[in-house]
């Protein structure tokens, strides 16, 4: 019997949401029975070669490569889930949204207190172009479900996966979504 396929990606995030998924601990064995892993940092697969049932998005979009990857996920994943504060709101990287991109780059590479000699703003053509601001995933593509938290707990991720794998919309109990 073919198993549902799961893909994950980290855009502009810290991989903490992926670490939280790994925190489901022994349930990883159940997960391995329930799904087939497709494109993901966990298996280092970098391309889709067939449709995927569930896509987990970590991180917001801060550059053109993020947008490209996110659109690929939308094209290939039947259900797309924004996982964590960075995907939902931009998170910590979106702190740069309060200044212009130019001001941010000048502070980081030329004028900031940690710059010791006149720095050069990276401009190698191989680098993805930075966007004017950091965008949440749902500003770029349609997102089907949202899982907040920084990171969402392992239990919240597990319950979300279990719901989706049984064809239900995730409806997590309050204790799993309460952050104090
Ligand atoms: S939501 Fe938190 S844990 Fe997840 S990628 Fe962003 S900063 Fe990291």
């Amino acid at each position: 019997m073919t198993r549902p396929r799961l893909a994950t990606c980290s855009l502009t995030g810290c991989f903490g949401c992926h670490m939280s998924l790994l925190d489901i601990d022994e349930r990883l064995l159940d997960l391995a029975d329930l799904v087939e892993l497709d494109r993901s940092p966990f298996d280092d697969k970098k391309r889709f070669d067939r449709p995927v049932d569930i896509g987990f998005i970590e991180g917001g979009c801060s550059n053109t490569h993020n947008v490209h990857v996110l659109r690929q996920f939308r094209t290939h994943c039947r259900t797309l889930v924004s996982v964590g504060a960075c995907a939902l709101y931009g998170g910590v990287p979106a702190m740069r949204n309060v200044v212009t991109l130019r001001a941010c780059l000048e502070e980081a590479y030329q004028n900031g207190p940690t710059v010791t000699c006149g720095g050069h703003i990276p401009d190698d053509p191989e680098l993805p172009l930075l966007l004017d601001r950091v965008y949440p995933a749902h500003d770029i593509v349609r997102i089907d479900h949202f899982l907040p938290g920084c990171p969402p707990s392992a239990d919240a991720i597990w319950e979300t996966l279990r719901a989706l794998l049984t064809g239900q919309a995730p409806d997590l109990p309050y204790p799993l979504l309460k952050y104090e």
Side-chain angles (χ1 to χ4, degrees), residues 102-125:
R102 169 57 53 182
C104 179
L105 290 170
E106 288 177 354
E107 175 76 6
Y109 293 102
Q110 294 180 327
N111 306 325
T114 58
V115 177
T116 51
C117 56
H120 173 69
I121 295 176
D123 59 359
D124 189 296

Side-chain angles (χ1 to χ4, degrees), residues 51-75:
V52 164
D53 299 280
I54 301 169
F56 268 23
I57 304 296
E58 171 192 296
C61 288
S62 69
N63 61 50
T64 51
H65 182 66
N66 292 159
V67 172
H68 174 71
V69 171
L70 181 55
R71 287 184 173 147
Q72 280 191 327
F73 265 69
R74 181 66 277 176
T75 299

Side-chain angles (χ1 to χ4, degrees), residues 29-105:
L29 299 176
D30 299 326
L31 185 63
D33 285 338
L34 289 170
V35 302
E36 190 170 338
L37 197 60
D38 201 275
R39 179 182 169 161
S40 170
F42 292 136
D43 60 5
D44 206 25
K45 184 176 176 204
K46 302 221 170 17
R47 286 192 173 80
F48 289 103
D49 47 29
R50 65 182 110 167
V52 164
D53 299 280
I54 301 169
F56 268 23
I57 304 296
E58 171 192 296
C61 288
S62 69
N63 61 50
T64 51
H65 182 66
N66 292 159
V67 172
H68 174 71
V69 171
L70 181 55
R71 287 184 173 147
Q72 280 191 327
F73 265 69
R74 181 66 277 176
T75 299
H76 290 86
C77 299
R78 292 190 185 94
T79 300
L80 209 52
V81 187
S82 257
V83 181
C86 295
L88 269 71
Y89 313 114
V92 171
M95 288 174 68
R96 81 161 162 91
N97 290 356
V98 298
V99 297
T100 64
L101 175 58
R102 169 57 53 182
C104 179
L105 290 170

Side-chain angles (χ1 to χ4, degrees), residues 10 12-18 58-59 83-87 90-93 149-152:
S10 182
T12 298
C14 75
F15 272 92
C17 291
H18 276 77
E58 171 192 296
V83 181
C86 295
V92 171
C150 183

